[in-house]
C-alpha cells in the first residue's frame, strides 16, 4: 500500500464476458479521473477482477497477489473485485494483508472513493448487492472497438444446485429499456458495429411487458449498428417473442448459446435446472424452424454428483441430437455453499476426466463438421483484429467463426463479403468480394 494517490492503473480480468464488461467500465472510470492505463508491473493501482465459477479460482487470486509484490518489497494499491471478492469478503485481506480494497460486482462504481480512502491509510470492503446503482454512477461510453459488450441484466434467481452465481451476483435484475438504448447508441457513436447483450440470464431481461425480443427490435433501428448478439441464455426464458426475432431481425446474428448442462432428466432435476431434455429439444426445434441456419452452442457439466455412466451417455446423445457449432464443457467442481457440494455420490476425478474427454472429442467433431459446411459459402465478416501474416485481418462470420482474410487496404471495423475458400477445424479462410460497410 502507498499513501500517495495512484496515477496509473491496471485491470486484470478473469472469467466471463460480464467481467470483461465490468473491467472496461472500471477502466473508463479511472481514465475519466485522469489516470492512465499501464502494465501490471508498473501500475500504482492493480484491480484483480475475479471469477469464482469453478475450481481453484480463489487460489489463483492469492498467488497473483503474491506476484504483485515489487522487488523493493512494496506493493501497488491492490483491489480484489468480482465474484471471489463477493464470496470470500474480508477473509481476503485477512489472508493477504497487501490487499487494500475488496469490492463486489455490484459495488465497483465506488472504487474511486475507496482508492481515495486507501490514500488516507484506510482499507475498505464493500460487498453491497444494491442492484442497479452502479450503472447510473458510471461515466458515458466513449471508447470501444468494433465489437462491444453491453450488460442488460445481472444476477440469477434460478439456483442451479452447482452454481455460485446467485450468491455472488445477487438476484435477477434488468436495466431499464431507455438506459440500454442510450448506452447502445453511445457505443455505436464510439465505433461499435456489433453489440453483444450480456447477462447471467440475458434472456430473462424484461419488465413484465417487454422481453429481450423487444429490446433487440429497438436496437435493430439504430443506424450504424450492424450486428446484435446475446449471451448467456436459460432455456426457460426463451420466449416466443425472442424466438420470433431470430426469424425476422436481420441484424440479430444466427447464433444461440443455450446451455442444457446435461442430457438426463434425473440429473437435470438434481441440478434444479427446471427444464427437461425434451423441453430443451423442443425449443431448439422452434428456433431452427424460424432460422434454419442458426449455429447452436451450449455449456455442459460432466461428473455431477451421482451421475452414472448411462446418465452421462444421455449427455452424449443430446449433443448428437442437437448438433452444435461449438460448446463449452466442464468437469463438475464443488463450490462451497452450494447444495450440490454436499450431495452424496461425488464422482472420482478420473471418471469425470474420462467423460470430459469423450464429450470434448464429440464436440470437436461437430465443430469441425460445422466449419466444413461453410466451405464454398459466401458470407459477411466483421474485421476485428490483425492476423499473424502481413496484410492479414481476422474477423467473425455471422455464426461466430473466426475468418482469416488477406485484405490489404482494409481496416479493423470494416464489414466485408467473402467466399470461404478453406475450412479448418477451428477457423476459416475467406477471399474478398466487396466491402459492405465501413
Ligand atoms: N462446476 C462446473 N461447471 C460449472 N458451471 C457453473 N458452475 C459450475 C460448477 N460448479 C458451468 C456451467 C455454466 C458455465 C458458465 O459454467 O456449465 O453454464
Ligand atoms: Fe448459475 Fe443456473 Fe443461474 Fe446459470 S441459470 S447462472 S448455471 S444458477
Amino acid at each position: 500500500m502507498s499513501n500517495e494517490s495512484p496515477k496509473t492503473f491496471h485491470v486484470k480480468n478473469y472469467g466471463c464476458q460480464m467481467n470483461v464488461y465490468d473491467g472496461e467500465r472500471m477502466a473508463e472510470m479511472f481514465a475519466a479521473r485522469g489516470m492512465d492505463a499501464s502494465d501490471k508491473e508498473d501500475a500504482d493501482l492493480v484491480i484483480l477482477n475475479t471469477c469464482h465459477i469453478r475450481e481453484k479460482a480463489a487460489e489463483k487470486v492469492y498467488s497473483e497477489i503474491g506476484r504483485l509484490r515489487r522487488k523493493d518489497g512494496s506493493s501497488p494499491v491492490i483491489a480484489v473485485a468480482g465474484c471471489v471478492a463477493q464470496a470470500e469478503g474480508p477473509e481476503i485481506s485477512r489472508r493477504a494483508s497487501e490487499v487494500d480494497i475488496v469490492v463486489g460486482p455490484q459495488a465497483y462504481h465506488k472504487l474511486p472513493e475507496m482508492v481515495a480512502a486507501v490514500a488516507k491509510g484506510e482499507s475498505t470492503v464493500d460487498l453491497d448487492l444494491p442492484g442497479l446503482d452502479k450503472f447510473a454512477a458510471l461515466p458515458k461510453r466513449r471508447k470501444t472497438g468494433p465489437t462491444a459488450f453491453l450488460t442488460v441484466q445481472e444476477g440469477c434467481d434460478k439456483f442451479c444446485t452447482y452454481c455460485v452465481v446467485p450468491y455472488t451476483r445477487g438476484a435477477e435484475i434488468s436495466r431499464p429499456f431507455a438506459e440500454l438504448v442510450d448506452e447502445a447508441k453511445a457505443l455505436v457513436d464510439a465505433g461499435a458495429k456489433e453489440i453483444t447483450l450480456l447477462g447471467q440470464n440475458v434472456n430473462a431481461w424484461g419488465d413484465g411487458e417487454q422481453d429481450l425480443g423487444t429490446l433487440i427490435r429497438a436496437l435493430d433501428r439504430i443506424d450504424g449498428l450492424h450486428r446484435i448478439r446475446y449471451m448467456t441464455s436459460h432455456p426457460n426464458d426463451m420466449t416466443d417473442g425472442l424466438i420470433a426475432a431470430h426469424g425476422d431481425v436481420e441484424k440479430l446474428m444466427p447464433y444461440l448459446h443455450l446451455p442444457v448442462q446435461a442430457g438426463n432428466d434425473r440429473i437435470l432435476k438434481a441440478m434444479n435446472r427446471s427444464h427437461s431434455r425434451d423441453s430443451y429439444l423442443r425449443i431448439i426445434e422452434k428456433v431452427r424452424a424460424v432460422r434454419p441456419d442458426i449455429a447452436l452452442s451450449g455449456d455442459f457439466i460432466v461428473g455431477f454428483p451421482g451421475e452414472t455412466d448411462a446418465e452421462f451417455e444421455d449427455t452424449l446423445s443430446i449433443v448428437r441430437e442437437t448438433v452444435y457449432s461449438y460448446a463449452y464443457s466442464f468437469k463438475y467442481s464443488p463450490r462451497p455453499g452450494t447444495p450440490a457440494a454436499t450431495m452424496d455420490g461425488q464422482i472420482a476425478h478420473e471418471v469425470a476426466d474420462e467423460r470430459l474427454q469423450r464429450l470434448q472429442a464429440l464436440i470437436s467433431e461437430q465443430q469441425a463438421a460445422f466449419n466444413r459446411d461453410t466451405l464454398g459459402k459466401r458470407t459477411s465478416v466483421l474485421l476485428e483484429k490483425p492476423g499473424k501474416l502481413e496484410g492479414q485481418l481476422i474477423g467473425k462470420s455471422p455464426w461466430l467463426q473466426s475468418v482469416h482474410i488477406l485484405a490489404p487496404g482494409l481496416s479493423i471495423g470494416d464489414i466485408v463479403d467473402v467466399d470461404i475458400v478453406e475450412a479448418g477445424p477451428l477457423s476459416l479462410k475467406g477471399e474478398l468480394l466487396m466491402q459492405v460497410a465501413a
Side-chain angles (χ1 to χ4, degrees), residues 25 28 138-143 182 185-186 189:
R25 310 284 337 241
E28 286 166 356
L138 295 169
K140 195 169 152 49
R141 313 299 306 268
R142 291 181 208 283
K143 252 180 77 185
D182 282 352
K185 283 183 179 155
D189 287 345

Side-chain angles (χ1 to χ4, degrees), residues 14-16 19 49-54 57-58 61 81-84 335:
Y14 301 79
C16 66
N19 268 13
N49 193 22
T50 60
C51 167
H52 203 232
I53 195 94
R54 282 176 297 273
V61 174
C83 291
V84 173
R335 303 285 73 209

Side-chain angles (χ1 to χ4, degrees), residues 123 174 238 318 348:
S123 70
S174 295
M238 223 43 227
I318 201 169

Side-chain angles (χ1 to χ4, degrees), residues 106-260:
Q106 306 297 18
Y108 66 75
H109 57 293
K110 296 186 219 156
L111 264 169
E113 289 164 34
M114 298 171 90
V115 171
V118 170
K120 286 192 235 138
E122 299 161 21
S123 70
T124 53
V125 176
D126 195 326
L127 303 172
D128 257 9
L129 285 174
L132 296 174
D133 293 6
K134 74 174 176 221
F135 293 104
L138 295 169
K140 195 169 152 49
R141 313 299 306 268
R142 291 181 208 283
K143 252 180 77 185
T144 173
T147 60
F149 288 137
L150 171 52
T151 293
V152 303
Q153 178 279 345
E154 283 210 50
C156 183
D157 297 337
K158 306 283 192 291
F159 289 93
C160 299
T161 51
Y162 50 80
C163 186
V164 286
V165 167
Y167 312 95
T168 59
R169 288 266 172 178
E172 268 175 29
I173 189 154
S174 295
R175 292 179 66 191
F177 179 84
E179 182 181 303
L180 292 170
V181 174
D182 282 352
E183 190 170 327
K185 283 183 179 155
L187 285 167
V188 172
D189 287 345
K193 300 281 169 61
E194 171 179 295
I195 293 181
T196 301
L197 308 177
L198 295 180
Q200 262 90 34
N201 275 293
V202 69
N203 59 341
W205 181 88
D207 57 9
E209 278 166 34
Q210 315 189 80
D211 67 0
L212 191 69
T214 332
L215 179 63
I216 287 170
R217 286 175 197 279
L219 302 185
D220 183 43
R221 291 194 290 273
I222 299 178
D223 283 341
L225 179 63
H226 293 261
R227 293 176 160 200
I228 303 168
R229 302 181 184 277
Y230 62 94
M231 73 185 304
T232 286
S233 296
H234 191 285
N236 286 13
D237 294 315
M238 223 43 227
T239 60
D240 288 342
L242 178 56
I243 294 177
H246 275 285
D248 55 32
V249 177
E250 218 175 293
K251 291 181 186 174
L252 181 58
M253 291 293 103
Y255 181 93
L256 174 63
H257 181 246
L258 193 65
V260 65

Side-chain angles (χ1 to χ4, degrees), residues 10-71:
H10 180 87
V11 182
K12 178 161 176 158
N13 274 318
Y14 301 79
C16 66
Q17 283 94 344
M18 305 276 294
N19 268 13
V20 176
Y21 175 89
D22 291 342
E24 281 171 5
R25 310 284 337 241
M26 292 174 198
E28 286 166 356
M29 255 189 324
F30 289 111
R33 283 168 172 77
M35 286 170 64
D36 293 321
S38 100
D39 291 343
K40 194 172 64 193
E41 288 66 32
D42 308 322
D44 303 331
L45 164 68
V46 175
I47 300 152
L48 303 176
N49 193 22
T50 60
C51 167
H52 203 232
I53 195 94
R54 282 176 297 273
E55 212 100 50
K56 301 202 181 89
E59 277 61 39
K60 269 194 232 155
V61 174
Y62 288 113
S63 57
E64 182 66 48
I65 293 168
R67 281 198 297 276
L68 289 174
R69 194 167 305 126
R70 299 182 185 122
K71 285 203 190 81

